Amino acid sequence: MEGYSSYFQSSSSSPGYGNSWNFDTFKNFRHFSPVVQSHLQKVYLTLCCALVASAVGSYLHILWNIGGLLTTLACLGCMTWLLAVSPHEERKRSGLLMAAAVFEGASIGPLVQVAIEIDPSILVSAFVGCAIAFGCFSAAAMVAKRQEYLWLGAVCSSGLSLLFWLQFASSLFGGLTSLFKFELYFGLLVFVGYIVFDTQMIIEKAHHGDLDHVKHALTLFTDFIAVFVRILVILLKNSTEKEEERKKKRRN
């Protein structure tokens, strides 16, 4: 949320901003052609369907304990298959996206199950927080000038590479608590940046005639899940630490 607030603060300091920032900022939506607007509606509608399918996958894991390595591989397989299929086969690609979402939901099912066992409100808070963050940063990317935040792609790619090497080092030398926290919060920052970058990239591609709403929804879906998982882990970690502190106080 700091990035979102800083965006408006920086905008408010620009010349001619005045007190009418609402109109001057959100009139940027008018710059989208009807074709781009229709495309964005399809993208976010498909994204919502994928999130529902992911929730179904998590529920199936809770029922039958199906989440694990196989569902992760199945998710990656469906995504690869989707990208290989021609964009003209819309129904097939939409089905593959929903299948990938179900498998992804089953893959994070064990984490979701832990959250439900500890405190179901944590799961709700994580989803609501992720949805608000996603909506705010995605909206910020929409109302900004075209291509204004495309530079974030290089920064986020570098951050993702750094995360990979940190995890590789952790697997070799053992994970430290401080390093785990850094990976968690830094990873959250990276994928929030990807939300802004991917939103503007989707808009830019739509302006140039790329109207593959299934592929674009897949991109935003992976961003949403990455942010959701990290927020959920942070909330679970904080809840566990608070519970341990309470137990120590009771003992003393």
Side-chain angles (χ1 to χ4, degrees):
M1 294 298 293
E2 292 178 0
Y4 188 62
S5 61
S6 64
Y7 165 77
F8 285 108
Q9 288 174 2
S10 62
S11 299
S12 62
S13 61
S14 60
Y17 188 78
N19 294 324
S20 59
W21 68 269
N22 284 316
F23 175 76
D24 291 337
T25 302
F26 286 94
K27 72 179 181 180
N28 287 338
F29 283 115
R30 297 180 182 178
H31 295 167
F32 298 157
S33 66
V35 174
V36 175
Q37 293 179 17
S38 176
H39 174 68
L40 291 176
Q41 291 175 1
K42 289 182 179 179
V43 169
Y44 285 98
L45 178 60
T46 306
L47 173 62
C48 290
C49 293
L51 292 176
V52 172
S54 183
V56 171
S58 295
Y59 181 70
L60 292 177
H61 168 78
I62 294 173
L63 288 180
W64 298 317
N65 194 29
I66 61 175
L69 179 61
L70 290 179
T71 55
T72 301
L73 294 176
C75 176
L76 293 175
C78 288
M79 289 182 180
T80 304
W81 190 2
L82 186 157
L83 297 175
V85 174
S86 171
H88 299 291
E89 300 183 55
E90 185 175 325
R91 289 187 178 180
K92 183 177 182 180
R93 299 173 86 245
S94 297
L96 287 171
L97 175 60
M98 296 305 120
V102 171
F103 287 128
E104 179 66 28
S107 299
I108 64 173
L111 180 62
V112 171
Q113 190 170 11
V114 169
I116 293 175
E117 291 174 354
I118 294 177
D119 186 357
S121 65
I122 294 177
L123 182 62
V124 177
S125 300
F127 180 81
V128 172
C130 180
I132 292 174
F134 184 91
C136 289
F137 283 100
S138 189
M142 288 183 184
V143 300
K145 295 178 181 179
R146 282 182 60 181
Q147 303 182 359
E148 184 174 1
Y149 292 117
L150 293 185
W151 57 269
L152 280 173
V155 177
C156 291
S157 296
S158 299
L160 196 62
S161 177
L162 177 60
L163 282 175
F164 171 78
W165 288 110
L166 285 175
Q167 291 181 354
F168 180 73
S170 298
S171 63
L172 289 179
F173 305 107
L176 300 175
T177 303
S178 57
L179 183 60
F180 174 75
K181 286 184 178 180
F182 175 79
E183 290 179 4
L184 196 59
Y185 286 95
F186 184 70
L188 178 61
L189 181 63
V190 167
F191 283 103
V192 163
Y194 266 120
I195 291 173
V196 178
F197 167 74
D198 287 333
T199 302
Q200 282 215 323
M201 183 59 72
I202 288 170
I203 294 171
E204 194 61 25
K205 287 182 177 179
H207 278 294
H208 288 85
D210 184 356
L211 303 177
D212 189 352
H213 69 276
V214 177
K215 180 181 177 181
H216 294 167
L218 173 62
T219 301
L220 294 180
F221 173 74
T222 54
D223 293 341
F224 189 99
I225 293 298
V227 172
F228 169 72
V229 167
R230 282 159 179 79
I231 292 178
L232 183 56
V233 172
I234 290 172
L235 293 179
L236 283 171
K237 190 174 182 302
N238 292 339
S239 176
T240 303
E241 290 177 351
K242 289 180 180 179
E243 186 64 26
E244 289 178 355
E245 290 179 359
R246 290 175 184 174
K247 290 180 179 179
K248 288 181 180 179
K249 289 180 180 180
R250 291 175 182 175
R251 292 173 183 175
N252 295 334

